[in-house]
Amino acid sequence: MDRLNLAQRLREARDLADLTQEQVADYLGIRRPAIAEIEAGTRAVKSTELVRLAELYGKTLRWLLEGTETRDERIAAALFRTEQPADPLLRREAAKLARRCRVVFDLEKALQVSRHHDSLPTYHHDKALTDYSEAMEHGRRVAYLERARLGLGIGGPIRDPWGLIEDAGLHVFSLRLGRDAQLDGIFTRPSDGQACVGVNVDKWVFRQVFTVVHEFGHALMDGDTIGEACITSRAWDRSRSTYANRELRANQFAAVFLVPREALVRYLRSRERVTTGRGAQERAKGLTPVDIVRAQDHFGVSADMLLWRLVNEGLIEIHERHELAKLLGAIGVTSLARSLGYNWRERAQPVSRAQELGLRGYSKGVVTLGQLAEIFDKSKEEMYDLIRVWGLHQEFAPGDALVGVTA
């Protein structure tokens, strides 16, 4: 191992991670001069220290030692920095998501299919990465721009967020990370012009919807990143880190994209729940837990998110939000929804566009059973049983080429 080249890469990785030598020393539990010596190549770095530095900087060991890495390795490493979980299972899921994404984009090319929007626009705003208020405003502004670009208007809810976002240029994959897992979703960009999101479908259905749109926000506003692992509930915390502001901005984008102020006011007006106060300012009036649950079903979002949208748009005061949340907690949102006849389990996404493409590709003989199983996140045995139940047959033609296989 070339100590000087390793020292140079460690210094470069620290600079890219925007960390000081003091911060790195605290993380490793050593003195700051030791970091300076390591980066100067005058002190050897221990193997245990190197592993921890790779996690801290979001780099692979291969890159630190050799200066090379595959794109999948870069994505898996970049996803899990110190502010995010570094669980080996999650790393494997991230790498697998990148592979699934690449297979499906290759499959689109092989099947010669396209979406209404072949490429995503990009909305860069450097100041939003360091300023809380700028991050909030940028997320809000881009939400309105995207609603306009996609022809959605601002007066109503989005009935099929999964399908809309897939049609807009992303592929959405399900991740089975567990109901209690902190991670909500993963955004990954296997190559330029390609982006996929993975959503933890073990979470509550409205959390899934919010996560899909949150990851869409990353794809639009974080064109300089190849991946992001997201815990959406943490993103509202005020923090000065770039990661936190990226997450905050994506959260604000998702909240406004799903529930624009105009749509919210229009809905409340139709229920005679709006009054005009001083200065012609509109405010909600007489809201009850039943009103919140009905609005929740209308917009397809969680009650908590809806209450925050009411506060953020100045339609209710913070103390009113606390009171409504307390009442909903005492009654139970799910119990109240059932009593009103709502079945929110039906909102779950059963089959994604990527899976539909996988089935088409398998029937035409351009993807293998193993590739199809990975798209569906199943074992080959489970996938084989499913295609037998569905009555799916392969149709090979002379000259057919398997996706990912070259002559």
Side-chain angles (χ1 to χ4, degrees), residues 104-319:
V104 170
F105 275 106
D106 287 346
L107 182 55
E108 280 187 324
K109 187 180 296 185
L111 295 176
Q112 297 182 330
V113 298
S114 61
R115 283 159 283 182
H116 293 315
H117 306 277
D118 291 330
S119 61
L120 293 172
T122 55
Y123 301 93
H124 294 296
H125 185 37
D126 290 340
K127 194 174 179 181
L129 301 180
T130 56
D131 186 286
Y132 178 95
S133 297
E134 289 286 342
M136 290 284 283
E137 173 57 24
H138 190 224
R140 185 199 67 80
R141 186 167 66 251
V142 173
Y144 277 101
L145 289 171
E146 277 301 288
R147 271 201 165 236
R149 182 179 74 91
L150 298 173
L152 300 175
I154 55 176
I158 298 172
R159 294 303 180 191
D160 181 18
W162 288 65
L164 174 75
I165 287 169
E166 286 192 305
D167 195 47
L170 274 75
H171 280 301
V172 182
F173 295 90
S174 61
L175 301 176
R176 292 286 182 181
L177 302 176
R179 184 177 180 180
D180 297 327
Q182 285 188 312
L183 201 67
D184 295 307
I186 296 173
F187 160 69
T188 179
R189 199 188 304 273
S191 63
D192 294 338
Q194 299 179 357
C196 293
V197 299
V199 178
N200 185 359
V201 295
D202 291 325
K203 296 278 189 174
W204 178 229
V205 61
F206 291 133
R207 176 63 71 87
Q208 296 176 36
V209 170
F210 188 85
T211 299
V212 168
V213 183
H214 173 103
E215 305 298 349
F216 182 43
H218 279 307
L220 293 166
M221 297 179 288
D222 294 316
D224 58 331
T225 64
I226 60 172
E228 201 77 68
C230 305
I231 304 172
T232 59
S233 59
R234 288 186 184 176
W236 297 115
D237 297 337
R238 288 178 179 266
S239 172
R240 295 180 181 179
S241 74
T242 297
Y243 168 75
N245 281 320
R246 287 189 195 277
E247 291 301 295
L248 173 70
R249 180 171 63 174
N251 259 14
Q252 176 75 335
F253 169 83
V256 177
F257 188 81
L258 287 167
V259 189
R261 174 186 172 83
E262 293 78 5
L264 188 53
V265 171
R266 180 179 181 180
Y267 175 82
L268 293 175
R269 277 187 191 144
S270 71
R271 271 69 179 174
E272 299 183 344
R273 293 298 191 193
V274 174
T275 185
T276 303
R278 293 179 180 178
Q281 182 180 6
E282 293 173 309
R283 290 184 52 79
K285 65 173 183 177
L287 292 179
T288 68
V290 169
D291 293 319
I292 298 302
V293 169
R294 284 177 171 164
Q296 179 181 357
D297 181 77
H298 179 74
F299 287 104
V301 299
S302 70
D304 187 58
M305 191 273 240
L306 188 69
L307 288 171
W308 278 117
R309 288 295 296 132
L310 289 164
V311 171
N312 291 339
E313 295 298 343
L315 294 167
I316 64 173
E317 299 292 338
I318 191 69
H319 70 85

